[in-house]
Every structure is written in structure tokens, then in C-alpha cells.
Coordinates of all heavy atoms in Angstrom, one line a residue:
M1286 N -1.9 22.6 -8.7 CA -0.5 23.0 -8.7 C 0.4 21.8 -9.1 O 0.0 20.6 -9.0 CB -0.2 23.4 -7.3 CG 1.1 24.1 -7.1 SD 0.9 25.8 -6.9 CE 2.4 26.4 -7.5
V1287 N 1.5 22.1 -9.5 CA 2.5 21.0 -10.0 C 2.9 20.1 -8.9 O 3.0 18.9 -9.0 CB 3.7 21.7 -10.6 CG1 4.7 20.6 -11.0 CG2 3.3 22.5 -11.8
K1288 N 3.1 20.6 -7.6 CA 3.6 19.8 -6.5 C 2.5 18.7 -6.2 O 2.9 17.6 -5.8 CB 3.9 20.6 -5.3 CG 5.1 21.5 -5.6 CD 5.6 22.1 -4.3 CE 6.9 22.9 -4.6 NZ 7.5 23.4 -3.4
N1289 N 1.3 19.0 -6.2 CA 0.2 18.1 -5.9 C 0.2 16.9 -6.9 O 0.0 15.8 -6.5 CB -1.2 18.7 -5.9 CG -1.3 19.7 -4.8 OD1 -0.6 19.6 -3.8 ND2 -2.2 20.6 -4.9
S1290 N 0.5 17.2 -8.1 CA 0.5 16.1 -9.1 C 1.7 15.2 -8.9 O 1.7 14.0 -9.2 CB 0.5 16.6 -10.5 OG 1.7 17.3 -10.8
S1291 N 2.8 15.7 -8.4 CA 4.0 14.9 -8.1 C 3.8 13.9 -7.0 O 4.3 12.8 -7.1 CB 5.2 15.8 -7.8 OG 5.1 16.4 -6.5
I1292 N 3.0 14.3 -6.1 CA 2.8 13.4 -4.9 C 1.9 12.2 -5.4 O 2.0 11.1 -4.9 CB 2.1 14.2 -3.8 CG1 3.1 15.2 -3.2 CG2 1.7 13.3 -2.7 CD1 2.6 16.1 -2.2
S1293 N 1.0 12.4 -6.3 CA 0.1 11.4 -6.7 C 0.8 10.3 -7.6 O 0.4 9.2 -7.6 CB -1.1 11.9 -7.5 OG -0.6 12.5 -8.7
I1294 N 1.9 10.7 -8.3 CA 2.6 9.8 -9.2 C 3.5 8.9 -8.4 O 3.6 7.7 -8.6 CB 3.4 10.5 -10.3 CG1 2.4 11.1 -11.3 CG2 4.4 9.6 -11.0 CD1 3.1 11.9 -12.3
I1295 N 4.2 9.4 -7.4 CA 5.2 8.7 -6.7 C 4.5 8.0 -5.5 O 3.8 8.7 -4.8 CB 6.3 9.6 -6.2 CG1 7.0 10.1 -7.5 CG2 7.4 8.9 -5.4 CD1 8.0 11.2 -7.2
P1296 N 4.8 6.7 -5.2 CA 4.2 6.1 -4.1 C 4.4 6.8 -2.7 O 5.4 7.5 -2.6 CB 4.8 4.7 -4.1 CG 5.3 4.5 -5.4 CD 5.6 5.8 -6.0
Q1297 N 3.6 6.5 -1.8 CA 3.6 7.2 -0.5 C 4.9 7.0 0.3 O 5.5 7.9 0.9 CB 2.4 6.8 0.4 CG 2.3 7.6 1.6 CD 1.8 9.1 1.3 OE1 1.3 9.3 0.3 NE2 2.1 9.9 2.3
E1298 N 5.5 5.8 0.2 CA 6.7 5.5 1.0 C 8.0 6.1 0.4 O 9.0 6.2 1.1 CB 6.9 4.0 1.2 CG 7.1 3.2 -0.1 CD 5.9 2.8 -0.8 OE1 4.8 3.1 -0.3 OE2 6.0 2.2 -1.9
E1299 N 7.9 6.5 -0.9 CA 9.1 7.1 -1.5 C 8.8 8.6 -1.8 O 8.3 8.9 -2.8 CB 9.4 6.4 -2.8 CG 9.7 4.9 -2.6 CD 10.0 4.3 -4.0 OE1 10.0 5.0 -5.0 OE2 10.1 3.0 -4.0
K1300 N 9.2 9.4 -0.9 CA 8.8 10.9 -1.0 C 10.1 11.7 -1.3 O 10.8 11.4 -2.3 CB 8.1 11.4 0.2 CG 6.7 10.9 0.3 CD 5.9 11.5 -0.8 CE 4.5 10.9 -0.7 NZ 3.6 11.4 -1.7
R1301 N 10.3 12.6 -0.5 CA 11.3 13.7 -0.7 C 12.7 13.3 -1.2 O 13.2 13.8 -2.2 CB 11.4 14.6 0.5 CG 10.1 15.0 1.0 CD 9.7 16.3 0.4 NE 8.4 16.7 0.8 CZ 7.6 17.5 0.1 NH1 8.0 17.9 -1.0 NH2 6.4 17.8 0.6
G1302 N 13.3 12.4 -0.5 CA 14.7 12.1 -0.8 C 15.0 11.1 -1.9 O 16.1 10.9 -2.3
S1303 N 13.9 10.5 -2.4 CA 14.1 9.4 -3.3 C 14.6 10.0 -4.7 O 14.3 11.1 -5.0 CB 12.8 8.6 -3.5 OG 11.9 9.4 -4.2
V1304 N 15.3 9.1 -5.4 CA 15.8 9.6 -6.7 C 14.6 9.9 -7.7 O 14.7 10.9 -8.4 CB 16.6 8.4 -7.4 CG1 17.1 8.8 -8.8 CG2 17.8 8.2 -6.5
E1305 N 13.5 9.1 -7.6 CA 12.4 9.4 -8.4 C 11.8 10.8 -8.2 O 11.4 11.5 -9.1 CB 11.3 8.3 -8.2 CG 11.6 7.0 -8.8 CD 12.4 6.1 -7.8 OE1 12.8 6.6 -6.7 OE2 12.5 4.9 -8.1
F1306 N 11.6 11.1 -6.9 CA 11.1 12.4 -6.5 C 12.0 13.5 -7.0 O 11.5 14.5 -7.6 CB 10.9 12.5 -5.0 CG 10.2 13.8 -4.6 CD1 8.8 13.8 -4.7 CD2 10.9 14.8 -4.1 CE1 8.1 15.0 -4.3 CE2 10.2 16.0 -3.7 CZ 8.8 16.1 -3.8
Q1307 N 13.3 13.4 -6.8 CA 14.2 14.4 -7.3 C 14.2 14.6 -8.8 O 14.1 15.7 -9.3 CB 15.6 14.1 -6.9 CG 15.8 14.2 -5.4 CD 17.2 13.8 -5.0 OE1 18.2 14.3 -5.6 NE2 17.4 12.9 -4.0
V1308 N 14.1 13.5 -9.5 CA 14.0 13.6 -11.0 C 12.7 14.2 -11.4 O 12.7 15.0 -12.3 CB 14.2 12.2 -11.6 CG1 13.9 12.2 -13.1 CG2 15.6 11.6 -11.4
F1309 N 11.6 13.9 -10.7 CA 10.4 14.5 -11.0 C 10.4 16.0 -10.8 O 9.9 16.8 -11.6 CB 9.3 13.8 -10.2 CG 7.9 14.2 -10.6 CD1 7.3 13.6 -11.7 CD2 7.2 15.2 -10.0 CE1 6.0 13.9 -12.1 CE2 5.9 15.6 -10.4 CZ 5.4 14.9 -11.5
N1310 N 11.0 16.4 -9.7 CA 11.1 17.9 -9.4 C 12.0 18.6 -10.5 O 11.6 19.6 -10.9 CB 11.7 18.1 -8.0 CG 10.6 18.1 -7.0 OD1 9.5 18.2 -7.2 ND2 11.1 18.0 -5.7
F1311 N 13.1 17.9 -10.8 CA 13.9 18.5 -11.9 C 13.2 18.6 -13.2 O 13.3 19.6 -13.9 CB 15.2 17.8 -12.1 CG 16.2 18.0 -11.0 CD1 17.0 16.9 -10.5 CD2 16.4 19.2 -10.4 CE1 17.9 17.1 -9.5 CE2 17.3 19.4 -9.3 CZ 18.1 18.4 -8.9
T1312 N 12.4 17.6 -13.5 CA 11.6 17.6 -14.8 C 10.6 18.8 -14.8 O 10.4 19.5 -15.8 CB 10.9 16.3 -15.0 OG1 11.9 15.3 -15.0 CG2 10.1 16.3 -16.3
N1313 N 9.9 19.0 -13.6 CA 9.0 20.1 -13.5 C 9.7 21.5 -13.7 O 9.2 22.4 -14.4 CB 8.3 20.1 -12.2 CG 7.2 19.0 -12.2 OD1 6.8 18.6 -13.2 ND2 6.9 18.6 -11.0
K1314 N 10.9 21.6 -13.1 CA 11.7 22.8 -13.2 C 12.1 23.0 -14.7 O 12.1 24.2 -15.2 CB 12.9 22.8 -12.3 CG 12.6 23.0 -10.9 CD 13.9 23.0 -10.0 CE 13.6 23.1 -8.6 NZ 14.8 23.0 -7.7
I1315 N 12.5 21.9 -15.3 CA 13.0 22.0 -16.7 C 11.8 22.5 -17.6 O 12.0 23.3 -18.5 CB 13.5 20.7 -17.2 CG1 14.9 20.4 -16.5 CG2 13.6 20.6 -18.7 CD1 15.4 19.0 -16.6
E1316 N 10.6 22.0 -17.4 CA 9.5 22.4 -18.2 C 9.1 23.9 -18.0 O 8.8 24.6 -18.9 CB 8.3 21.5 -17.8 CG 8.4 20.1 -18.3 CD 7.3 19.2 -17.8 OE1 6.4 19.7 -17.1 OE2 7.3 18.0 -18.2
R1317 N 9.2 24.3 -16.7 CA 8.9 25.7 -16.4 C 10.0 26.6 -17.1 O 9.7 27.7 -17.7 CB 8.9 26.0 -14.9 CG 7.6 25.6 -14.3 CD 7.5 26.0 -12.9 NE 8.2 25.0 -12.1 CZ 9.0 25.3 -11.0 NH1 9.0 26.5 -10.6 NH2 9.6 24.4 -10.4
L1318 N 11.3 26.3 -17.0 CA 12.3 27.1 -17.6 C 12.2 27.1 -19.1 O 12.5 28.1 -19.7 CB 13.7 26.6 -17.1 CG 14.2 27.1 -15.8 CD1 15.5 26.4 -15.4 CD2 14.4 28.6 -15.8
T1319 N 11.9 25.9 -19.6 CA 11.7 25.9 -21.1 C 10.6 26.8 -21.6 O 10.8 27.5 -22.6 CB 11.4 24.4 -21.5 OG1 12.5 23.6 -21.0 CG2 11.4 24.3 -23.0
S1320 N 9.5 26.8 -20.9 CA 8.5 27.7 -21.3 C 8.9 29.2 -21.1 O 8.5 30.1 -21.9 CB 7.2 27.4 -20.6 OG 7.3 27.7 -19.2
H1321 N 9.6 29.5 -20.0 CA 10.1 30.8 -19.8 C 11.1 31.3 -20.9 O 11.0 32.4 -21.4 CB 10.9 30.9 -18.5 CG 11.6 32.1 -18.2 ND1 11.0 33.3 -17.9 CD2 13.0 32.4 -18.3 CE1 12.0 34.3 -17.8 NE2 13.1 33.7 -18.0
L1322 N 11.9 30.3 -21.3 CA 12.9 30.7 -22.4 C 12.3 30.8 -23.7 O 12.9 31.4 -24.6 CB 14.1 29.6 -22.4 CG 15.0 29.7 -21.2 CD1 15.9 28.5 -21.2 CD2 15.8 31.0 -21.2
K1323 N 11.1 30.3 -24.0 CA 10.4 30.5 -25.2 C 10.0 32.0 -25.4 O 10.0 32.5 -26.5 CB 9.2 29.6 -25.4 CG 9.6 28.2 -25.6 CD 8.4 27.3 -25.7 CE 8.8 25.8 -26.0 NZ 7.6 24.9 -25.9
L1324 N 9.7 32.6 -24.2 CA 9.4 34.0 -24.2 C 10.6 34.9 -24.2 O 10.6 36.0 -24.8 CB 8.4 34.3 -23.1 CG 7.1 33.7 -23.1 CD1 6.4 34.0 -21.7 CD2 6.3 34.2 -24.2
H1325 N 11.6 34.5 -23.4 CA 12.8 35.4 -23.2 C 14.0 34.6 -23.7 O 14.7 34.0 -22.9 CB 12.9 35.6 -21.7 CG 11.7 36.2 -21.0 ND1 11.3 37.5 -21.2 CD2 10.7 35.6 -20.3 CE1 10.1 37.6 -20.5 NE2 9.8 36.5 -20.0
R1326 N 14.2 34.8 -25.0 CA 15.3 34.0 -25.6 C 16.7 34.4 -25.1 O 17.6 33.6 -25.1 CB 15.2 34.2 -27.1 CG 14.0 33.6 -27.7 CD 14.0 33.7 -29.2 NE 12.8 33.2 -29.8 CZ 12.5 32.0 -30.1 NH1 13.4 31.1 -29.9 NH2 11.4 31.6 -30.6
R1327 N 16.9 35.6 -24.7 CA 18.2 36.1 -24.4 C 18.5 36.1 -22.9 O 19.4 36.8 -22.4 CB 18.4 37.5 -24.9 CG 18.4 37.6 -26.4 CD 18.8 39.0 -26.8 NE 18.9 39.0 -28.3 CZ 19.2 40.1 -29.0 NH1 19.4 41.3 -28.3 NH2 19.2 40.1 -30.3
D1328 N 17.7 35.4 -22.1 CA 17.9 35.2 -20.7 C 19.0 34.2 -20.5 O 18.7 33.0 -20.2 CB 16.6 34.9 -20.0 CG 16.7 34.9 -18.5 OD1 17.8 35.1 -18.0 OD2 15.7 34.8 -17.8
Y1329 N 20.2 34.6 -20.5 CA 21.4 33.7 -20.5 C 21.5 33.0 -19.1 O 22.0 31.9 -19.0 CB 22.6 34.4 -20.9 CG 22.5 34.9 -22.3 CD1 22.6 36.3 -22.6 CD2 22.3 34.0 -23.4 CE1 22.5 36.7 -23.9 CE2 22.2 34.5 -24.7 CZ 22.3 35.9 -24.9 OH 22.1 36.3 -26.2
L1330 N 21.2 33.7 -18.0 CA 21.3 33.1 -16.7 C 20.3 32.0 -16.6 O 20.6 30.9 -16.0 CB 21.1 34.2 -15.6 CG 22.2 35.2 -15.5 CD1 21.8 36.2 -14.5 CD2 23.5 34.5 -15.2
S1331 N 19.1 32.1 -17.1 CA 18.1 31.0 -17.1 C 18.6 29.9 -17.9 O 18.4 28.7 -17.6 CB 16.8 31.5 -17.5 OG 16.2 32.4 -16.6
Q1332 N 19.2 30.2 -19.0 CA 19.8 29.1 -19.9 C 20.8 28.3 -19.1 O 20.9 27.1 -19.2 CB 20.4 29.7 -21.2 CG 19.4 30.2 -22.2 CD 20.1 30.8 -23.4 OE1 21.3 30.7 -23.6 NE2 19.3 31.6 -24.2
R1333 N 21.7 29.0 -18.4 CA 22.7 28.4 -17.6 C 22.1 27.5 -16.5 O 22.5 26.3 -16.3 CB 23.6 29.4 -17.0 CG 24.7 28.8 -16.2 CD 25.7 29.9 -15.7 NE 26.8 29.2 -15.0 CZ 26.9 29.2 -13.7 NH1 26.0 29.7 -12.9 NH2 28.0 28.6 -13.1
G1334 N 21.1 28.0 -15.9 CA 20.4 27.3 -14.8 C 19.7 26.0 -15.4 O 19.7 24.9 -14.8
L1335 N 19.2 26.2 -16.6 CA 18.5 25.0 -17.3 C 19.6 23.9 -17.6 O 19.3 22.7 -17.3 CB 17.8 25.5 -18.6 CG 17.2 24.4 -19.4 CD1 16.1 23.7 -18.7 CD2 16.7 25.0 -20.7
R1336 N 20.7 24.4 -18.1 CA 21.8 23.4 -18.4 C 22.3 22.7 -17.1 O 22.5 21.5 -17.1 CB 22.9 24.0 -19.1 CG 22.6 24.4 -20.5 CD 23.9 24.7 -21.3 NE 24.6 25.9 -20.8 CZ 24.3 27.1 -21.2 NH1 23.5 27.4 -22.1 NH2 25.0 28.1 -20.6
K1337 N 22.3 23.4 -16.0 CA 22.8 22.8 -14.7 C 21.8 21.8 -14.2 O 22.1 20.7 -13.8 CB 23.0 23.9 -13.7 CG 24.2 24.7 -13.9 CD 24.4 25.7 -12.8 CE 25.0 25.0 -11.6 NZ 25.7 25.9 -10.7
I1338 N 20.5 22.1 -14.3 CA 19.4 21.2 -13.9 C 19.4 20.0 -14.8 O 19.2 18.9 -14.3 CB 18.1 21.9 -13.8 CG1 18.1 23.0 -12.7 CG2 16.9 20.9 -13.6 CD1 16.9 23.9 -12.7
L1339 N 19.6 20.2 -16.1 CA 19.6 19.0 -17.0 C 20.7 18.1 -16.6 O 20.6 16.9 -16.7 CB 19.8 19.5 -18.5 CG 18.5 20.1 -19.1 CD1 18.9 20.8 -20.4 CD2 17.5 19.0 -19.3
G1340 N 21.9 18.6 -16.3 CA 23.0 17.8 -15.9 C 22.8 17.0 -14.6 O 23.1 15.9 -14.5
K1341 N 22.2 17.7 -13.6 CA 21.8 17.0 -12.4 C 20.9 15.9 -12.6 O 21.0 14.8 -12.1 CB 21.2 18.0 -11.4 CG 22.2 19.0 -10.8 CD 21.5 19.9 -9.8 CE 22.4 21.0 -9.3 NZ 21.7 21.9 -8.4
R1342 N 19.8 16.2 -13.4 CA 18.8 15.1 -13.7 C 19.5 14.0 -14.4 O 19.2 12.8 -14.2 CB 17.7 15.7 -14.5 CG 16.6 14.7 -14.8 CD 15.4 15.2 -15.5 NE 15.8 15.3 -16.9 CZ 14.9 15.6 -17.9 NH1 13.7 15.9 -17.6 NH2 15.3 15.8 -19.1
Q1343 N 20.4 14.3 -15.4 CA 21.1 13.2 -16.1 C 21.9 12.3 -15.2 O 21.9 11.1 -15.3 CB 21.9 13.8 -17.2 CG 22.5 12.8 -18.2 CD 21.5 12.0 -18.9 OE1 20.4 12.6 -19.3 NE2 21.7 10.7 -19.0
R1344 N 22.6 13.0 -14.3 CA 23.4 12.2 -13.3 C 22.6 11.3 -12.5 O 22.9 10.1 -12.2 CB 24.3 13.1 -12.5 CG 25.5 13.7 -13.3 CD 26.5 14.4 -12.3 NE 25.9 15.5 -11.6 CZ 25.8 16.8 -12.1 NH1 26.3 17.1 -13.3 NH2 25.3 17.7 -11.3
L1345 N 21.4 11.8 -12.0 CA 20.5 11.0 -11.2 C 20.0 9.8 -12.0 O 19.8 8.7 -11.5 CB 19.4 11.8 -10.7 CG 19.7 12.7 -9.4 CD1 18.5 13.6 -9.1 CD2 20.0 11.8 -8.2
L1346 N 19.6 10.1 -13.3 CA 19.1 9.0 -14.1 C 20.2 7.9 -14.4 O 19.9 6.7 -14.4 CB 18.6 9.5 -15.4 CG 17.3 10.3 -15.3 CD1 16.9 11.0 -16.6 CD2 16.1 9.4 -14.9
V1347 N 21.4 8.3 -14.6 CA 22.5 7.3 -14.7 C 22.7 6.5 -13.5 O 22.8 5.3 -13.5 CB 23.8 8.1 -15.1 CG1 25.0 7.1 -15.0 CG2 23.7 8.6 -16.5
Y1348 N 22.6 7.2 -12.3 CA 22.7 6.5 -11.0 C 21.6 5.4 -10.9 O 21.8 4.3 -10.5 CB 22.7 7.5 -9.9 CG 22.5 6.8 -8.5 CD1 23.6 6.2 -7.9 CD2 21.2 6.8 -7.9 CE1 23.4 5.6 -6.6 CE2 21.1 6.3 -6.7 CZ 22.1 5.7 -6.1 OH 22.0 5.1 -4.8
L1349 N 20.4 5.9 -11.2 CA 19.2 5.0 -11.1 C 19.3 3.8 -12.1 O 19.0 2.7 -11.7 CB 17.9 5.8 -11.3 CG 16.6 5.0 -11.0 CD1 16.6 4.5 -9.6 CD2 15.4 5.9 -11.3
S1350 N 19.8 4.1 -13.3 CA 19.9 3.0 -14.2 C 20.9 2.0 -13.8 O 20.7 0.8 -14.1 CB 20.2 3.5 -15.6 OG 21.5 4.0 -15.7
K1351 N 21.9 2.4 -13.1 CA 22.9 1.4 -12.6 C 22.4 0.6 -11.4 O 22.7 -0.6 -11.3 CB 24.2 2.1 -12.3 CG 25.0 2.6 -13.5 CD 26.2 3.3 -13.0 CE 27.0 3.9 -14.2 NZ 28.2 4.7 -13.8
K1352 N 21.7 1.3 -10.6 CA 21.2 0.7 -9.4 C 20.0 -0.3 -9.6 O 20.0 -1.4 -9.1 CB 20.8 1.7 -8.3 CG 21.9 2.4 -7.6 CD 22.7 1.4 -6.9 CE 23.2 1.9 -5.6 NZ 24.0 1.0 -4.8
N1353 N 19.0 0.3 -10.3 CA 17.7 -0.5 -10.5 C 17.2 -0.2 -11.9 O 16.5 0.8 -12.1 CB 16.8 -0.2 -9.4 CG 15.6 -1.1 -9.3 OD1 15.3 -1.7 -10.3 ND2 15.0 -1.2 -8.2
R1354 N 17.4 -1.1 -12.8 CA 17.0 -0.8 -14.2 C 15.5 -0.8 -14.4 O 15.0 0.0 -15.2 CB 17.6 -1.9 -15.1 CG 17.6 -1.6 -16.5 CD 18.6 -0.5 -16.9 NE 18.7 -0.4 -18.3 CZ 19.3 0.6 -18.9 NH1 19.9 1.5 -18.2 NH2 19.3 0.8 -20.2
V1355 N 14.7 -1.5 -13.6 CA 13.3 -1.6 -13.7 C 12.7 -0.3 -13.3 O 11.8 0.3 -13.9 CB 12.7 -2.8 -12.8 CG1 11.2 -2.8 -12.8 CG2 13.3 -4.1 -13.3
R1356 N 13.1 0.3 -12.1 CA 12.6 1.5 -11.6 C 13.0 2.7 -12.6 O 12.2 3.6 -12.8 CB 13.2 1.9 -10.3 CG 12.5 1.1 -9.2 CD 13.2 1.2 -7.8 NE 13.4 2.6 -7.4 CZ 14.2 2.9 -6.4 NH1 14.8 2.0 -5.7 NH2 14.4 4.2 -6.1
Y1357 N 14.2 2.6 -13.2 CA 14.6 3.5 -14.2 C 13.7 3.6 -15.4 O 13.2 4.6 -15.9 CB 16.0 3.2 -14.6 CG 16.6 4.0 -15.8 CD1 16.9 5.3 -15.7 CD2 16.7 3.4 -17.1 CE1 17.4 6.0 -16.8 CE2 17.2 4.1 -18.2 CZ 17.5 5.4 -18.0 OH 18.0 6.1 -19.1
R1358 N 13.3 2.4 -15.9 CA 12.4 2.3 -17.1 C 11.0 2.8 -16.8 O 10.4 3.5 -17.6 CB 12.3 0.8 -17.6 CG 13.6 0.2 -18.1 CD 13.7 0.4 -19.6 NE 14.9 -0.2 -20.1 CZ 15.5 0.2 -21.1 NH1 15.0 1.2 -21.8 NH2 16.6 -0.5 -21.6
E1359 N 10.6 2.5 -15.6 CA 9.2 3.0 -15.2 C 9.2 4.5 -15.1 O 8.3 5.1 -15.5 CB 8.8 2.4 -13.8 CG 8.5 0.9 -13.8 CD 8.3 0.3 -12.5 OE1 8.3 1.1 -11.5 OE2 8.0 -0.9 -12.4
L1360 N 10.3 5.1 -14.5 CA 10.3 6.5 -14.3 C 10.4 7.2 -15.7 O 9.7 8.2 -15.9 CB 11.5 6.9 -13.5 CG 11.7 8.4 -13.1 CD1 10.5 8.8 -12.3 CD2 13.0 8.6 -12.4
I1361 N 11.2 6.7 -16.6 CA 11.3 7.3 -17.9 C 10.0 7.2 -18.6 O 9.5 8.2 -19.3 CB 12.4 6.6 -18.7 CG1 13.8 7.2 -18.2 CG2 12.3 6.9 -20.2 CD1 14.9 6.7 -19.0
G1362 N 9.3 6.1 -18.5 CA 8.0 5.9 -19.1 C 6.9 6.9 -18.5 O 6.1 7.5 -19.3
Q1363 N 6.9 7.1 -17.2 CA 6.0 8.0 -16.6 C 6.2 9.4 -17.0 O 5.3 10.2 -17.2 CB 6.1 7.9 -15.1 CG 5.4 6.7 -14.5 CD 5.6 6.6 -13.0 OE1 6.3 7.4 -12.4 NE2 4.9 5.7 -12.3
L1364 N 7.5 9.8 -17.0 CA 7.8 11.3 -17.2 C 7.9 11.6 -18.7 O 8.0 12.8 -19.1 CB 9.1 11.7 -16.5 CG 9.0 11.5 -15.0 CD1 10.3 11.9 -14.4 CD2 7.9 12.4 -14.4
G1365 N 8.0 10.6 -19.6 CA 8.2 10.8 -21.0 C 9.6 11.4 -21.4 O 9.7 12.2 -22.3
I1366 N 10.6 10.9 -20.7 CA 12.0 11.4 -20.9 C 12.6 10.4 -21.9 O 12.4 9.2 -21.8 CB 12.8 11.4 -19.6 CG1 12.2 12.3 -18.6 CG2 14.2 11.8 -19.9 CD1 12.8 12.2 -17.2
R1367 N 13.3 10.9 -22.9 CA 14.0 10.1 -23.8 C 15.2 9.4 -23.1 O 15.8 10.0 -22.3 CB 14.5 10.9 -25.0 CG 13.4 11.4 -25.9 CD 14.0 12.1 -27.0 NE 14.8 13.2 -26.5 CZ 15.3 14.1 -27.3 NH1 15.1 14.1 -28.6 NH2 16.1 15.1 -26.8
E1368 N 15.5 8.2 -23.5 CA 16.7 7.6 -23.0 C 17.9 8.2 -23.7 O 17.9 8.5 -24.9 CB 16.6 6.1 -23.3 CG 17.7 5.3 -22.6 CD 17.3 3.9 -22.3 OE1 16.1 3.6 -22.4 OE2 18.1 3.1 -21.9
P1369 N 19.0 8.4 -22.9 CA 20.1 9.1 -23.5 C 20.9 8.2 -24.5 O 20.8 7.0 -24.4 CB 21.0 9.4 -22.3 CG 20.6 8.4 -21.2 CD 19.1 8.2 -21.5
K1370 N 21.5 8.9 -25.4 CA 22.3 8.2 -26.4 C 23.6 7.6 -25.7 O 24.2 8.3 -24.9 CB 22.8 9.1 -27.5 CG 21.6 9.7 -28.3 CD 22.2 10.6 -29.3 CE 21.0 11.3 -30.0 NZ 21.5 12.3 -31.0
T1371 N 24.0 6.4 -26.0 CA 25.2 5.9 -25.4 C 26.2 5.6 -26.6 O 25.8 5.0 -27.6 CB 24.9 4.5 -24.7 OG1 24.2 3.7 -25.6 CG2 24.0 4.8 -23.5
G1372 N 27.4 6.1 -26.3 CA 28.4 5.8 -27.3 C 28.6 6.8 -28.3 O 28.5 7.7 -28.9

């Protein structure tokens, strides 16, 4: 299951409330919604939900990049997320 793999990537001391865990959960939701939208192109409510989750994940990543740049780089590397364009 997807949740079991999330626990193995994130260290034991940083679980539920950490920024890394939240970003990881949002990434899993984004992947599931993306695969759903490939089948159901006109599901506009799911498209809206996907955009909201993308925004939440982006805000968390910006917060993490300001707080701790090393942890931000590690997380992006682990999850395979592209760095956002600036400017």
C-alpha cells in the first residue's frame, strides 16, 4: 500500500505533522488524482481538487525552502519533484 512506503522514506522521529510527511501525502494524492483524470477527462471537481492540493503542496515547499534549504533539496530529490520557476 502507498502509506507503508511513506513511512519507510521518512525517518521515525518525523511522522505525521512534519512538512516532509505532508508533502509526501500530497504527492501521493496528486499521483492518484492524475491517474484518475487520465481516464475521466471531464471530471471538473477532481481537477479543482488537484489544483487545490498542488497549491497546498507548493506553499509547504516554499515554507520548507525558506526554513531549511538542505531538507528541501533532499525532499525534492526523494520525491522527484521539479523545482518551481522563480521570476
Side-chain angles (χ1 to χ4, degrees):
M1286 189 104 207
V1287 175
K1288 290 189 178 189
N1289 292 338
S1290 66
S1291 69
I1292 294 172
S1293 64
I1294 290 178
I1295 298 172
Q1297 189 68 22
E1298 63 273 0
E1299 298 177 7
K1300 286 293 178 177
R1301 306 275 176 201
S1303 70
V1304 175
E1305 288 91 349
F1306 186 80
Q1307 292 179 49
V1308 170
F1309 191 82
N1310 274 345
F1311 285 143
T1312 303
N1313 287 336
K1314 286 181 184 180
I1315 288 167
E1316 289 172 0
R1317 280 187 281 143
L1318 276 173
T1319 303
S1320 65
H1321 168 78
L1322 286 171
K1323 286 180 182 175
L1324 294 174
H1325 309 282
R1326 293 183 187 275
R1327 293 187 178 180
D1328 189 354
Y1329 299 117
L1330 291 177
S1331 292
Q1332 288 178 13
R1333 180 175 185 259
L1335 177 63
R1336 285 193 300 268
K1337 288 182 79 161
I1338 292 172
L1339 283 168
K1341 287 180 184 179
R1342 184 179 75 173
Q1343 187 61 40
R1344 286 191 298 272
L1345 280 171
L1346 287 172
V1347 167
Y1348 168 78
L1349 185 61
S1350 71
K1351 289 179 183 176
K1352 284 297 219 186
N1353 191 336
R1354 195 72 174 168
V1355 174
R1356 285 171 50 193
Y1357 169 75
R1358 294 269 185 207
E1359 289 175 2
L1360 184 64
I1361 283 187
Q1363 285 179 348
L1364 298 179
I1366 301 173
R1367 291 182 303 188
E1368 190 148 352
K1370 298 177 187 175
T1371 55

